[in-house]
Amino acid sequence: MPQMSKVELYAAIRRDHRDGMKLREIERTYNVSWRTIRKAVDSVRPEPRKKLPPRATALDPYKAVIDGILQADLDAPRKQRHTLTRIFHRLVEEHGADISYQQVRRYVADRKPQILVESGKAPTGAFIPQTHQPGMEAEVDFGDVTVKPAGAWVTCSATRSPPSC
């Protein structure tokens, strides 16, 4: 039997069940358990996959150290702040960390903006919704435009402010 997606499998199981095929026969035909058949008959769509919890990494014990370094750098002069390479070397030399440079780079790239926002030294991100009443504001390019507002063609000039027709 060719490989089919879960949605196709559920549709085929529902179709065979509707046609009166016995559950044991459906199990053998599609090589699935009775639980899968129940799920297919009860639901049109299969359940979404469960998200796995994030795995622990070798960097986890050192995240607090990196956060401390980044927070201390908030008050340091620009030329005295830690570079990413310096943070990595400090972890290896002072703490004996067995981690890769890329792990540290990814974590610092994600965490540094968060620490700036938490300390109030960076904006949290601003969005100002703009609401305009229809016809109250308009953008016009310079030049002439020909329009037909009431059945007659009229040439409007946008070179003056406000535009005139």
Side-chain angles (χ1 to χ4, degrees), residues 45-63:
R45 296 182 192 263
E47 296 174 359
R49 289 186 176 212
K50 294 178 183 173
K51 294 278 186 185
L52 295 175
R55 294 187 320 185
T57 65
L59 187 65
D60 286 346
Y62 307 105
K63 287 182 178 179

Side-chain angles (χ1 to χ4, degrees), residues 119-157:
S119 69
K121 297 200 178 215
T124 58
F127 175 75
I128 301 171
Q130 296 185 4
T131 55
H132 304 291
Q133 297 297 322
M136 294 304 290
E137 290 190 23
E139 292 184 20
V140 180
D141 290 336
F142 291 104
D144 294 336
V145 64
T146 305
V147 294
K148 190 175 181 182
W153 289 99
V154 178
T155 301
C156 297
S157 175

Side-chain angles (χ1 to χ4, degrees), residues 79-95:
K79 290 292 201 172
Q80 294 178 9
R81 294 181 193 152
H82 287 80
T83 62
L84 180 60
T85 306
R86 183 66 188 130
I87 292 172
F88 172 71
H89 287 300
R90 277 190 64 185
L91 291 173
V92 171
E93 293 166 4
E94 296 175 12
H95 300 281

